[in-house]
Structures are given as C-alpha cells and as structure tokens.
Amino acid sequence: MRALLVVNPAATTTSARTRDVLIHALASEMKLEVVTTEYRGHARDLGWQAAESDDVELVVALGGDGTVNEVVNGLLHQGPDPERRPRLAVVPGGSTNVFARALGLPNDAVEATGALLDALREGRERTVGLGFAAGTPGTDDESVPSRWFTFCAGLGFDAGVVGRVEQQRERGKRSTHALYVRQVMRQFLDEPNRRHGTITLERTGEDPVEDLVLSIICNTSPWSFLGNRPLYASPRASFDTGLDVLGLKKLSTPAVARYATQLLTSSPERGPQGKHALSLHDLSEFTLHSKVPLPLQMDGDHLGLRKSVTFTGVRRALRVIV
C-alpha cells in the first residue's frame, strides 16, 4: 500500500522524537511518503494532490483537528466519491482531537498509531458523513469559498470564542482548556447581541426560527471535550445522519449559567435544553442568516465574518480507517 503521511510540526501534543517513532512504525507496514506542512493550507494542497494521484490509497493526518480539516478539504475538492478517493486515517496530535476521538480512536498518538496499524491489518474502515458549508446564493456571501467540516461548525458566539483563542495563540499562548474557558468569559462580557439575537434559521417547508444568539452545527457527538470530559451539544448527532443544530435565543447571565451547567453535565442521552434553546436533528440542508456580520468557525478554525451560510449534511462522504 502506498500512503501519504501529512505531518503538522506545530502539533501541540507530539514531540519530534515521538513523530519519528510513529513514522518508523507506519513505514514498516506500507510504502510511506512523509511531508511536513510548511504553511496554512499546505495540508489541503497535499490532500488535493493525493486525490489526483493514481496510486495513493491512504492519507494519514498527524496533527490536530485543523490539520484533519485541511486534508479532508483537499481530498474532497471535487466532491465525495468514497470508492475512488484515498482513505483517511488520523493520528491525533492536537490539544482536543475531537474528530479522532469521535471515531473511537485513542487520544494518545502512539496508541492511535497502534490502533491504526491493527485496523489496516484487519481491514476495518467506515464511511462517514460530513458537513458542507457555502455562502448562500443571492447574498453578499455567495462568492465565499465553500468548505467541508468533519465534526462541527458555528456562527456567532462560539465562533467568536474560537477567534479569540486563535489571537492568543498567535501571541504565543499555548492552546489549553484553561485558555478556552477564559476566552468564553471574555466573549460573553463583550458579546453585543447576547440579549437580542441576530440569526435566523431557515429550512424548506418549515417556519423560520428567529433571534438566535448562538448556533452550533454538529456532524457527530460529542461536540467537544473539556479535558477528558465529553461535551454533548447535540447528543443524537452522528456520522451516519445529517446535521444537528443547537441554537440559543438568550445569553443573559442566568441563561449562560444554566446552559453551561447543562453542557458540563451533558451525556449521550441529554444535552442543553430549555425555553430559549432550539434542538434540531438530522437536517439535510438549512441556511443561517444574520442581520449583522458574525464570526464563523468550522472544526475549530476561525473563518472570518459572515452574514449568510447554507449548510448541507452529506452522507457517506469519505472512507475512514477505524
């Protein structure tokens, strides 16, 4: 088997020595080409090249969720074709690694490599659904490049938190769970629309849902992790169904305290709920419009400000080694 290993050298939880050990282990089982990313978007370019190649059968992403997202967008640059596109494998190297953990992989890079090699020997793989987001036709965002996401997206409050974390990382701060918690509090204090939301959710055949402050789109569950604690924003979300949405219409101090507590104590059976909470399951397509530009994030990557985004749940989009 010929495989491409895409290595993010800035992955927060793997050292150069650990990466060398992993590369040696993988190379002992396959014909392996190793490429280290050198710029933002490089992993996407490598995934694109692999998809265009006639002999690359597997792409292994060694890094965090951002690296995985880039590789996936490269592999699917001409759309999903699971039987013809190279398969994807993930070795977690980031701070959270939601996609890998949602697939049931160990969060340790060495253990995950062992699990990957076992899966390849035993032929274990699954075909997962993904999310797809594009600027809504007929709006100012129509020309914005479309993008795939593997586990979540968000328009509004949570994307603002992601943007703040990225700013702190650019200043040299490490990506830790404590950093995320601090930025959540700062985003809350600075959020101008927390009492009167600007987002409207529209879907065919249903009345629009207006005045959302926060909208989290989930392609799987859990939505994220706080340390080893899984957080279930949409417990029924699955790689085998469409997209789920958690929307909140109010972020007053009591509401935030209530929903934060529900999120921290959430489970596969129960997520945040209440009179100001909207929970939708297994949507194939919907659009989020905002009266003002709001931050957008996908798989923990801040993508700037948007006013209108159309989301599509695409089933059976990519084969993944598990």
Side-chain angles (χ1 to χ4, degrees), residues 12-319:
T12 56
T13 58
T14 57
S15 64
R17 178 175 295 179
T18 299
R19 290 193 290 271
D20 287 342
V21 171
L22 302 182
I23 290 169
H24 181 75
L26 292 170
S28 68
E29 298 285 338
M30 62 191 73
K31 184 178 180 181
L32 187 69
E33 178 185 1
V34 181
V35 181
T36 300
T37 59
E38 299 177 354
Y39 53 87
R40 189 181 181 115
H42 194 183
R44 180 182 184 275
D45 294 342
L46 294 170
W48 185 310
Q49 293 167 16
E52 294 295 316
S53 169
D54 293 329
D55 55 357
V56 174
E57 301 175 64
L58 174 70
V59 178
V60 184
L62 171 52
D65 289 311
T67 302
V68 174
N69 179 278
E70 285 194 13
V71 169
V72 167
N73 274 277
L75 289 173
L76 301 184
H77 72 279
Q78 289 188 334
D81 190 349
E83 300 307 316
R84 296 186 179 183
R85 300 280 183 266
R87 292 168 293 171
L88 173 71
V90 178
V91 177
S95 58
T96 310
N97 307 305
V98 179
F99 182 65
R101 294 163 85 174
L103 288 170
L105 297 172
N107 197 36
D108 177 81
V110 175
E111 292 184 13
T113 301
L116 165 60
L117 292 174
D118 287 343
L120 288 170
R121 296 186 192 110
E122 298 169 12
R124 296 200 311 267
E125 62 179 57
R126 64 180 293 191
T127 304
V128 300
L130 298 173
F132 184 74
T136 306
T139 71
D140 293 341
D141 291 324
E142 181 176 9
S143 61
V144 174
S146 57
R147 184 153 173 163
W148 295 88
F149 59 95
T150 64
F151 65 91
C152 84
L155 182 69
F157 183 88
D158 77 304
V161 174
V162 169
R164 287 174 178 271
V165 170
E166 287 192 3
Q167 289 178 350
Q168 294 299 311
R169 293 188 65 182
E170 290 172 358
R171 295 170 184 167
K173 298 291 182 66
R174 293 188 67 248
S175 179
T176 64
H177 298 293
L179 176 63
Y180 273 89
V181 172
R182 290 196 299 272
Q183 300 315 310
V184 167
M185 296 305 299
R186 289 173 181 171
Q187 180 68 23
F188 170 70
L189 293 174
D190 293 343
E191 175 59 58
N193 305 304
R194 66 173 183 255
R195 293 185 180 276
H196 303 286
T198 66
I199 302 171
T200 297
L201 185 150
E202 295 181 352
R203 50 189 173 135
T204 302
E206 302 288 344
D207 292 335
V209 180
E210 300 178 333
D211 301 329
L212 296 174
V213 180
L214 174 151
S215 54
I216 294 174
I217 301 94
C218 292
N219 184 52
T220 188
S221 188
W223 161 63
S224 190
F225 292 82
L226 186 62
N228 291 322
R229 181 190 293 274
L231 305 177
Y232 297 89
S234 297
R236 293 190 293 166
S238 167
F239 288 126
D240 299 319
T241 62
L243 301 175
D244 282 28
V245 178
L246 171 66
L248 299 181
K249 290 190 173 185
K250 193 173 185 179
L251 285 181
S252 62
T253 301
V256 167
R258 180 169 63 254
Y259 292 127
T261 300
Q262 290 181 349
L263 194 57
L264 289 171
T265 58
S266 59
S267 70
E269 291 75 37
R270 186 179 179 88
Q273 51 191 292
K275 68 177 182 178
H276 298 297
L278 168 75
S279 293
L280 300 174
H281 175 59
D282 193 13
L283 303 185
S284 58
E285 184 174 288
F286 60 93
T287 295
L288 296 178
H289 299 287
S290 175
K291 299 173 185 175
V292 299
L294 293 177
L296 172 70
Q297 69 87 11
M298 293 185 205
D299 288 346
D301 188 8
H302 187 270
L303 300 178
L305 302 179
R306 303 284 190 273
K307 289 185 69 175
S308 188
V309 186
T310 296
F311 294 89
T312 305
V314 182
R315 302 189 188 219
R316 297 186 58 79
L318 185 67
R319 290 186 298 164

